[in-house]
Amino acid sequence: MNKIAKKTTSHPQGLSTRAIHGRQKPEPSTGAVIPPIFATSTFVQSSPGVTTGWEYARSQNPTRAAFEASLAELEGGSAGFAFASGLAAEAAILDLLEHGSHIVASDDLYGGTWRLFHRIRAHSANLALTHVDFSDPDAIEAAITPRTALLWVETPSNPLLKLADLSALAALGRKHGILTVADNTFASPAVQRPLQHGFDLVVHSVTKYIGGHSDIIGGAVVVGGDADLQNRVSFIQNATGGILDPFSSFLGLRGIKTLPLRVERHSANALAVAGWLENHPAVERVLYPGLPSHPQHELALRQMQGGGGMVSVFLKATAKQTVKVLESFKIFALAESLGGVESLVGHPVSMSHGSLPAERRAELGITPNLIRLSIGIEDAADLISDLDQALARL
């Protein structure tokens, strides 16, 4: 009862239609088109244990359920589960594993994910980690051991925008009986849908493209078609209690409704910006899956609908010069996070990946001259003009 029923139609609906209407019905008591914010902690029972399907707001909340159902619809999953942050969602996935399990994970990961793996769960749950370049399927298979319980991938990765072949990884997971998890934060379901490639789970920082307006913190897990896995994630969400609040759920649902439209503009702007940067004399290298110069551009064409809104840039600059550029932007905001309507610029070495040991950053090639651009939905010409004036400081 706590999951909203899926609508049936005579023909498959497009992504934008499903973003607005998928698994949604007007609120039954009032006919409200948009599910309201149910700011309640509990629900009345007509007799002990006899409920309307809603009991206690940690376990179920109608606003959160509407958001979860909508996100599951976009990802093509059986159910969604919303959490208080992206890391809370990741922690819930790790709770699926037995103590002492082994994880094979991308070498290029968000710094917060690396911190959760290595500085929390390696100690509290004795989890073992092996990091592999997920663009190399042979290296992934070689890293699998009898204790391996999970393959964890970011694609595109943060911040080097590496891609992983989702279909090949899903097949590898099935071959070895291993759960497969894709962090789809950088792409969003408007760009790619890992469950359709055979993945078991998708995780999101809802804070980013799903919310889309830099005004909430949230996370989500979407489960494919495995009913047992769905029940286990549901149990963990309720038992550990790191749920998304009703107001943030309301804003997340609002974000979903414009996601395809926003991401279309993010991707178009990012392609224009990345192409311009490739020809700038102060730029050493541009990483963007939508550019033919990206080493995995052909894979991007196969499994992504557009290149997404993230662009990583290596400048021909010292660390000090790079900081000077970062301090010179007028439209791009120097700030953590990504995926909002406004353009942001970040410095992975000192911001998103500051929690990684310096030697680990050096191994990965996350150097002081690397900047990460989250391209917003402003006019592309204005973004290019801002980049031009900032790079003129070099």
Side-chain angles (χ1 to χ4, degrees):
M1 290 291 293
N2 65 318
K3 302 298 175 186
I4 294 177
K6 183 177 180 180
K7 288 184 177 181
T8 58
T9 58
S10 58
H11 62 86
Q13 294 180 332
L15 188 71
S16 292
T17 302
R18 290 187 291 118
I20 295 169
H21 299 288
R23 304 190 197 183
Q24 302 296 305
K25 292 182 179 180
E27 198 277 321
S29 64
T30 65
V33 172
I34 301 299
I37 301 169
F38 283 85
T40 184
S41 61
T42 192
F43 303 85
V44 70
Q45 302 184 18
S46 59
S47 184
V50 179
T51 74
T52 60
W54 310 96
E55 302 171 7
Y56 184 62
R58 185 190 69 249
S59 304
Q60 318 105 343
N61 176 279
T63 314
R64 190 175 81 234
F67 169 65
E68 292 170 331
S70 183
L71 182 56
E73 172 71 18
L74 285 198
E75 285 285 8
S78 60
F81 302 90
F83 294 85
S85 69
L87 284 169
E90 293 186 356
I93 291 174
L94 297 183
D95 282 336
L96 291 165
L97 307 182
E98 297 290 334
H99 188 273
S101 293
H102 175 243
I103 298 172
V104 179
S106 309
D107 58 354
D108 184 23
L109 286 175
Y110 166 53
T113 303
W114 190 95
R115 181 176 56 219
L116 174 64
F117 284 175
H118 288 273
R119 300 188 65 181
I120 304 295
R121 293 306 178 84
H123 302 286
S124 65
N126 196 33
L127 295 184
L129 279 298
T130 300
H131 292 282
V132 178
D133 182 350
F134 266 44
S135 65
D136 184 351
D138 292 336
I140 300 168
E141 187 150 27
I144 293 172
T145 75
R147 291 174 57 202
T148 305
L150 186 66
L151 297 180
W152 187 293
V153 62
E154 288 181 12
T155 180
S157 66
N158 185 1
L160 299 177
L161 302 181
K162 294 180 182 178
L163 305 185
D165 188 324
L166 291 168
S167 294
L169 284 173
L172 188 60
R174 289 192 298 272
K175 175 182 175 181
H176 291 276
I178 300 168
L179 282 176
T180 47
V181 178
D183 185 336
N184 203 25
T185 297
F186 264 33
S188 88
V191 172
Q192 69 185 13
R193 291 168 288 282
L195 298 179
Q196 294 182 0
H197 292 268
F199 265 67
D200 298 302
L201 297 160
V202 164
V203 65
H204 281 280
S205 172
V206 169
T207 311
K208 313 305 193 295
Y209 286 104
I210 301 298
H213 294 76
S214 300
D215 53 9
I216 61 171
I217 297 291
V221 175
V222 181
V223 182
D226 188 321
D228 177 65
L229 188 58
Q230 177 182 330
N231 290 334
R232 290 167 65 196
V233 176
S234 178
F235 176 83
I236 289 167
Q237 182 194 43
N238 183 48
T240 59
I243 55 168
L244 190 63
D245 66 275
F247 183 57
S248 295
S249 298
F250 176 84
L251 293 178
L253 185 59
R254 175 208 61 181
I256 283 178
K257 292 182 184 300
T258 62
L259 177 68
L261 187 62
R262 286 187 286 107
V263 170
E264 183 179 333
R265 182 63 174 264
H266 285 299
S267 295
N269 279 357
L271 181 60
V273 166
W276 180 85
L277 284 167
E278 272 202 314
N279 297 307
H280 197 285
V283 171
E284 179 181 294
R285 182 161 53 111
V286 177
L287 298 174
Y288 181 65
L291 287 177
S293 59
H294 190 282
Q296 296 164 293
H297 179 63
E298 291 301 317
L299 177 59
L301 293 177
R302 292 203 307 273
Q303 71 182 25
M304 299 172 71
Q305 289 79 53
M310 300 302 298
V311 180
S312 289
V313 186
F314 289 88
L315 302 179
K316 295 177 182 176
T318 64
K320 186 175 181 179
Q321 289 172 323
T322 300
V323 169
K324 187 175 181 181
V325 170
L326 290 166
E327 293 173 343
S328 301
F329 285 102
K330 301 181 185 304
I331 295 177
F332 283 86
L334 177 59
E336 298 278 5
S337 200
L338 58 105
V341 292
E342 70 291 320
S343 292
L344 302 178
V345 59
H347 190 226
V349 161
S350 57
M351 295 170 71
S352 60
H353 289 69
S355 60
L356 267 67
E359 61 273 15
R360 181 63 181 161
R361 291 197 300 265
E363 288 172 9
L364 291 170
I366 301 173
T367 53
N369 66 323
L370 171 64
I371 66 173
R372 192 190 71 184
L373 304 174
S374 174
I375 306 299
I377 64 172
E378 303 95 340
D379 290 290
D382 293 328
L383 298 178
I384 289 171
S385 177
D386 194 30
L387 283 159
D388 197 27
Q389 67 83 23
L391 293 173
R393 305 297 193 272
L394 296 178

